[in-house]
Amino acid sequence: MLHIHKHNAILGVGGANRNHRLVNNLARVPIWLDSIWAMQYIWKMVHRVLVVEDEAVLRETLVYNLEQRQYEVLEAGDGSEALKIARQSQPDLIILDVMLPEIDGLEVCRILRQEMAVPILMLTARDEEVDKVIGLEMGADDYVTKPFSMRELMARIKALLRRDRMIRQDIESESNGSPEAEKDQTVLMVFDDLTINLSRREVRRQDEVLLLKPREFDLLVFLARNRGIALSRDLILERVWGWEYVGNSRTVDVHIRWLREKIEPVPNKARRIVTVRGIGYRFDG
C-alpha cells in the first residue's frame, strides 16, 4: 500500500534527510485555491501519467500532486518496471528520472521513443547543457533540473499535454468530413521529394522514412503549414513548445539544426529551412 504525504513546492535531491526537510517545508497554499487547476476538476479529460522515479519520497510527492489535479497516475521505481508499465498502460505522458536502477532513464527514453509517441518529461540532478542535449536527442520532449518548483513542473506537464492534444485535433480535423477519395490528400503534405504524413506522424524523403523525434515532427509541421512565411524564434517557441515553456530561443536553433540534418539534401546548405537574418526561419519546401 502506497503511503502518500501532502506536499506541494520545491523538490530536491541528495539524501533522505534533505528530502524529508523539503517535504515538511513544501508550499502552504492549498491546491484547491489554485483557480487555474480548479477549473480542471470541472472540464478536464482525465490523462494518464506514468511517474518513473527511484526516490520514494520524491515519487510519492509527484503522485500526490498529480492526483490532486485529477490525473490518473501510475508509478515505477526502476527502468525495467517503467518499460513494462508503459507498454501495458499506454500513458498520455511520462515523467522520467535520468538516474534509475536496472535501466537508466536515457535508455528507457530511447526505447520508448522507438515504440510510442508519448510526451516524455525528464527529471535530472545534472544541470550541464550537454546532459540536456543528450536527453533531447534520446527523444525527450522537455527537461527539468532538480530542485524544481512543483508549480513549474505542473505547468510544463499541462503544456506538453495541450500540445499533444492540439496535434491530434489537427490531424482529426484534416481527416474527418472529407470524402474517402480525398482523405489521403488531406493528411499528406508534399514538397518535391519530401512527404509529411500527418495521420501516421511520418516523414519520407524520396522513399526513405526519416526518424524524427516527436518535437522535430511538430516543428516541421508548423513550419510547413506556414510555407514562405518568415517566423520568429519566439513565435515558433510559443506555437510548438507552448507559451508556458520556460526555455529560450536557443532550443529552436538546436532543433532546426537537427531537422536540417534529416530533411535537407545537403545539411550545411539549407534550401528547405532558410535562416532569415534578424528574425528566425522560413520554410521554402
Side-chain angles (χ1 to χ4, degrees):
M1 183 70 177
L2 181 64
H3 297 284
I4 305 298
H5 300 279
K6 184 175 182 180
H7 20 84
N8 178 39
I10 303 292
L11 301 181
V13 296
N17 291 335
R18 182 178 178 186
N19 276 326
H20 282 295
R21 288 199 304 272
L22 288 165
V23 167
N24 292 331
N25 291 312
L26 292 168
R28 293 173 172 78
V29 179
I31 294 174
W32 59 269
L33 290 178
D34 187 331
S35 59
I36 296 176
W37 287 104
M39 289 299 294
Q40 294 187 349
Y41 281 80
I42 301 173
W43 60 268
K44 178 182 175 295
M45 179 180 69
V46 175
H47 289 100
R48 180 178 297 159
V49 178
L50 171 59
V51 176
V52 186
E53 169 61 59
D54 62 321
E55 292 186 42
V57 173
L58 178 53
R59 185 174 67 249
E60 292 172 10
T61 302
L62 293 169
V63 169
Y64 175 81
N65 279 274
L66 287 164
E67 289 180 341
Q68 289 298 298
R69 291 163 173 84
Q70 299 299 289
Y71 290 103
E72 177 187 345
V73 187
L74 305 171
E75 56 183 295
D78 60 64
S80 297
E81 186 181 14
L83 290 173
K84 180 180 178 180
I85 294 176
R87 288 163 175 160
Q88 292 176 344
S89 65
Q90 297 293 308
D92 299 303
L93 181 139
I94 298 175
I95 301 173
L96 179 63
D97 187 33
V98 171
M99 303 298 292
L100 292 173
E102 297 195 23
I103 305 176
D104 70 73
L106 292 175
E107 180 64 12
V108 171
C109 181
R110 186 190 68 80
I111 294 171
L112 289 177
R113 187 50 72 225
Q114 294 176 344
E115 300 178 7
M116 57 188 73
V118 58
I120 298 176
L121 189 156
M122 300 204 74
L123 305 178
T124 182
R126 299 180 294 194
D127 196 25
E128 296 295 328
E129 183 178 21
V130 64
D131 295 318
K132 296 181 180 180
V133 171
I134 291 173
L136 293 170
E137 288 181 337
M138 287 294 180
D141 294 278
D142 203 353
Y143 210 99
V144 176
T145 304
K146 303 174 184 176
F148 54 83
S149 161
M150 180 60 74
R151 186 178 293 274
E152 175 191 345
L153 178 66
M154 293 299 164
R156 288 175 179 266
I157 291 171
K158 186 178 179 183
L160 285 174
L161 288 170
R162 183 177 62 249
R163 179 178 60 83
D164 185 65
R165 183 177 65 249
M166 290 174 65
I167 292 169
R168 295 179 186 278
Q169 288 175 345
D170 284 347
I171 293 173
E172 290 177 1
S173 65
E174 294 191 22
S175 300
N176 295 334
S178 301
E180 288 298 321
E182 299 178 3
K183 184 173 291 187
D184 287 343
Q185 296 179 5
T186 65
V187 298
L188 292 180
M189 304 176 74
V190 181
F191 306 95
D192 296 330
D193 64 344
L194 185 71
T195 302
I196 305 172
N197 189 316
L198 297 176
S199 60
R200 292 175 58 87
R201 289 183 65 85
E202 179 183 87
V203 178
R204 289 177 177 267
R205 184 156 58 89
Q206 296 179 348
D207 292 327
E208 177 189 2
V209 177
L210 305 180
L211 299 179
L212 267 61
K213 300 179 180 69
R215 189 80 73 174
E216 292 171 350
F217 181 86
D218 299 340
L219 175 58
L220 178 58
V221 170
F222 177 68
L223 293 172
R225 283 176 170 163
N226 293 277
R227 181 181 185 182
I229 301 174
L231 304 169
S232 71
R233 290 173 175 83
D234 288 339
L235 178 62
I236 294 171
L237 197 66
E238 177 186 336
R239 296 297 178 86
V240 179
W241 277 261
W243 66 270
E244 291 169 324
Y245 180 72
V246 296
N248 55 44
S249 59
R250 190 179 185 286
T251 299
V252 176
D253 297 333
V254 171
H255 281 75
I256 289 289
R257 174 167 57 83
W258 293 339
L259 202 51
R260 280 172 169 167
E261 291 174 354
K262 297 176 180 179
I263 71 169
E264 296 282 3
V266 183
N268 60 350
K269 295 182 179 179
R271 68 174 181 83
R272 284 199 160 106
I273 302 178
V274 179
T275 300
V276 181
R277 194 175 299 277
I279 298 178
Y281 300 97
R282 184 185 70 243
F283 183 79
D284 285 346

